[in-house]
């Protein structure tokens, strides 16, 4: 019997700007290349999210209006998402999705939007300025170079021991100051890369799928031992 990778697209009908759905397509492609069927579910306003129902979660970005709506609705999923993350669930967050994992972000109009506070970082806004252009970073953990395009007003500051996805070689990254870009915590990968991220960085797409497969195999092995 062919196994299935279950993908959750968080608020996929609202947070889908900059062509970042291409990340979802890449995950689906490499899952099938690995011999798995793919089941993709959009979890949106008033829908239910369970930490045990998915192998990969994709959380994209959108305009401020949509993100404010999502920021209010998603609070009811906080504990389930925390459980998912701490149990090594695979999660890819881009731009607005990235920002909402933290304490808060400040919208372009100056309004502070409450985040999920799942990871220790926060995002401020710039006055009449955006980080726009090509970007290159080096992922020291996986020893990979990633290429992309950034377009964001937010300036994100990682706190404590939280690790970045990579060190900025060219471009601005999280805040244009500390040479960090994105975030990597357990099996959570977050970034400001558009392009989309996984289309230009196929190794990372394959890595995310393999992480999900490892989790699936681990659960199956534990179930066999229990029986």
């Amino acid at each position: 019997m062919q196994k299935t990778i279950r993908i959750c697209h968080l608020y996929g009908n609202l947070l889908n700007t900059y062509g970042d759905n291409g990340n979802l397509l890449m995950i689906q492609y490499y899952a099938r290349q690995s011999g798995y069927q793919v089941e993709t579910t959009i979890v949106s306003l008033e829908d239910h999210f369970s930490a045990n129902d998915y192998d990969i979660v994709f959380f994209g970005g959108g305009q401020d209006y949509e993100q404010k709506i999502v920021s209010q609705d998603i609070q009811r999923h906080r504990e389930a998402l925390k459980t998912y993350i701490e149990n090594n669930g695979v999660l890819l967050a881009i731009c607005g999705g990235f920002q909402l994992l933290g304490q808060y972000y400040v919208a372009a109009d100056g309004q502070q939007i409450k985040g999920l506070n799942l990871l220790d970082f926060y995002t401020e806004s710039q006055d009449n300025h955006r980080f726009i252009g090509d970007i290159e970073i080096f992922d020291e953990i996986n020893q990979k170079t990633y290429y992309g395009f950034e377009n964001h007003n937010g300036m994100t500051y990682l706190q404590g021991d939280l690790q970045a996805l990579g060190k900025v070689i060219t471009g601005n990254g999280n805040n244009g100051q500390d040479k960090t870009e994105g975030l990597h915590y357990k099996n959570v990968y977050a970034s400001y890369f558009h392009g989309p991220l996984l289309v230009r960085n196929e190794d990372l797409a394959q890595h995310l799928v393999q992480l999900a497969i490892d989790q699936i195999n681990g659960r199956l092995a534990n179930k066999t031992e229990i029986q």
Side-chain angles (χ1 to χ4, degrees), residues 99 106 123-126 131 152-156 173-175 192:
Q99 294 172 349
V106 178
T123 302
E124 302 288 352
S125 66
Q126 304 179 65
F131 292 140
H152 57 104
N153 170 265
M155 296 186 297
T156 294
N174 285 342
N175 52 56
Y192 277 113

Side-chain angles (χ1 to χ4, degrees), residues 33-211:
Q33 288 292 104
S34 300
Y36 283 72
Q37 293 182 338
V38 177
E39 179 182 289
T40 304
T41 304
I42 292 178
V43 173
S44 191
L45 302 177
E46 301 182 2
D47 291 336
H48 176 71
F49 175 85
S50 172
N52 297 319
D53 287 349
Y54 303 103
D55 306 301
I56 299 177
V57 172
F58 174 57
F59 195 9
Q63 301 298 321
D64 278 346
Y65 177 76
E66 286 81 7
Q67 284 185 197
K68 289 176 184 178
I69 294 172
V70 170
S71 71
Q72 297 173 12
D73 187 78
I74 200 172
Q75 296 298 330
R76 60 196 176 85
H77 299 314
R78 184 183 184 279
E79 291 306 313
L81 283 167
K82 181 179 180 180
T83 298
Y84 179 83
I85 289 171
E86 295 303 325
N87 287 343
N88 293 309
V90 180
L91 190 153
L92 174 65
I94 300 294
C95 202
F98 172 17
Q99 294 172 349
L100 284 168
L101 295 178
Q103 300 166 18
Y104 67 85
Y105 79 90
V106 178
D109 62 4
Q111 181 181 1
Q112 187 178 110
I113 309 300
K114 182 181 179 181
L116 288 163
N117 200 22
L118 293 173
L119 299 172
D120 193 11
F121 68 92
Y122 63 92
T123 302
E124 302 288 352
S125 66
Q126 304 179 65
D127 293 330
N128 300 314
H129 186 263
R130 299 180 70 85
F131 292 140
I132 301 175
D134 292 324
I135 180 168
E136 175 186 347
I137 67 172
F138 183 70
D139 176 353
E140 295 179 342
I141 296 175
N142 294 308
Q143 291 292 295
K144 296 288 184 180
T145 299
Y146 304 137
Y147 303 91
F149 184 84
E150 58 182 341
N151 181 356
H152 57 104
N153 170 265
M155 296 186 297
T156 294
Y157 297 90
L158 307 182
Q159 304 292 288
D161 297 328
L162 204 55
Q163 292 181 304
L165 174 60
K167 179 180 180 180
V168 174
I169 306 302
T170 59
N172 295 285
N174 285 342
N175 52 56
Q177 300 166 17
D178 60 17
K179 297 295 184 181
T180 63
E181 204 294 316
L183 173 153
H184 179 196
Y185 173 77
K186 292 198 170 188
N187 286 340
V188 175
Y189 288 76
S191 177
Y192 277 113
F193 276 37
H194 298 297
L197 167 66
L198 299 184
V199 171
R200 296 187 65 180
N201 301 283
E202 297 179 18
D203 287 347
L204 182 55
Q206 294 177 62
H207 179 62
L208 294 175
V209 170
Q210 187 58 54
L211 287 174

